[in-house]
Amino acid sequence: MKLGVYGALVLVLSGACGGSQVDLLDPRDASLPVETRQWLAATEDGVVAARARRDGAAAELDRLDGWAERMEEEVSMGGPDDALEVLVETRLDLADAELELAELDVEFAEAKRDLAHAERAVHHDLAVYELEPLRRRVELRREAVSEARGEVVGLRSALRDATTEFWAAYASHAEGGGDTRAFWIGDAEPIAIDPNAGQDPEPEADEGADEDDDEDEEDEEDDESDLDDEE
């Protein structure tokens, strides 16, 4: 086995760790061929993207947990309550399944990365790995992701059905005169509306104008008095 121009030889025996431990190569290592560096960088990017999706799924589940708690504590509409409960539970189940899928996808991406690094190391005589266990691990992760994705697809269909059933119950409740404000504002107090809002205020009486009117009336009386005197 040769050391070559790529640096020190890393010898990894599969007996101690079942062939699962891989010392990752550096995609920035200029001594590696360009194609190898590009392939390694792509697998690293895959891991970064999978972890970002997992973090996003975890944040979404936290958000929905808070939403579900508010629905339970603040919303009560009578008739549609059962349908709303099913809707909330289905959304939570879907978010939980999506997080599980994202976590499995991280493991899948890491397994593919490890295999790619091991294969390139063996190809360039940089290390010795038993590749078959690594390939089996990739396939097992692929199967787990596929199964989890099927569960997510089923729950998305269930969520569509639950959403349709809830809005049907909501419409029936509203058409029957039921109060639906709790669904929109929870236990908050409704905003009071001033019936006179938006109307122009009545003009205030002009005291000066009243005085002028009085003076005009007095002048008219004087004129009439003058006419009587002339007659």
Side-chain angles (χ1 to χ4, degrees), residues 2-224:
K2 60 182 180 180
L3 296 178
V5 296
Y6 302 115
L9 173 66
V10 179
L11 180 62
V12 180
L13 301 177
S14 62
C17 56
S20 61
Q21 182 64 40
V22 176
D23 289 338
L24 302 180
L25 302 174
D26 187 352
R28 298 167 298 180
D29 187 350
S31 67
L32 295 172
V34 173
E35 294 81 1
T36 293
R37 283 185 283 152
Q38 290 175 339
W39 177 243
L40 297 179
T43 61
E44 295 289 352
D45 289 344
V47 172
V48 171
R51 289 173 177 171
R53 290 193 295 270
R54 176 199 59 196
D55 294 344
E60 177 64 6
L61 180 57
D62 287 342
R63 186 188 71 81
L64 285 176
D65 279 335
W67 170 77
E69 185 175 347
R70 289 193 300 274
M71 289 294 103
E72 181 179 359
E73 293 178 354
E74 300 179 3
V75 177
S76 177
M77 294 187 297
D81 283 351
D82 290 342
L84 179 60
E85 182 178 355
V86 172
L87 175 62
V88 170
E89 290 179 354
T90 306
R91 287 191 68 178
L92 287 175
D93 289 344
L94 174 59
D96 188 64
E98 287 177 332
L99 176 57
E100 182 178 354
L101 170 60
E103 290 173 342
L104 291 172
D105 199 36
V106 169
E107 296 179 5
F108 181 39
E110 291 173 344
K112 290 190 295 183
R113 176 203 60 193
D114 291 351
L115 177 60
H117 280 257
E119 287 178 335
R120 293 298 91 192
V122 170
H123 179 76
H124 297 304
D125 288 339
L126 295 174
V128 173
Y129 294 103
E130 188 176 349
L131 297 178
E132 193 56 33
L134 295 172
R135 290 170 179 155
R136 284 200 301 270
R137 186 172 67 172
V138 169
E139 288 306 311
L140 288 174
R141 298 294 185 271
R142 190 194 309 276
E143 292 173 3
V145 166
S146 179
E147 182 178 350
R149 185 172 288 115
E151 182 176 354
V152 166
V153 170
L155 284 170
R156 285 175 180 168
S157 177
L159 178 59
R160 286 193 295 270
D161 293 341
T163 302
T164 299
E165 292 175 4
F166 167 74
W167 285 116
Y170 177 92
S172 176
H173 180 69
E175 290 172 359
D179 188 354
T180 60
R181 288 177 299 177
F183 179 74
W184 304 106
I185 65 174
D187 58 2
E189 290 293 332
I191 298 175
I193 299 177
D194 184 355
N196 297 321
Q199 297 181 4
D200 293 333
E202 294 183 0
E204 295 182 0
D206 189 342
E207 295 180 357
D210 291 343
E211 292 177 357
D212 292 341
D213 291 343
D214 293 340
E215 291 177 358
D216 290 341
E217 291 177 358
E218 292 178 357
D219 291 340
E220 290 177 358
E221 292 177 356
D222 291 341
D223 292 341
E224 292 177 356

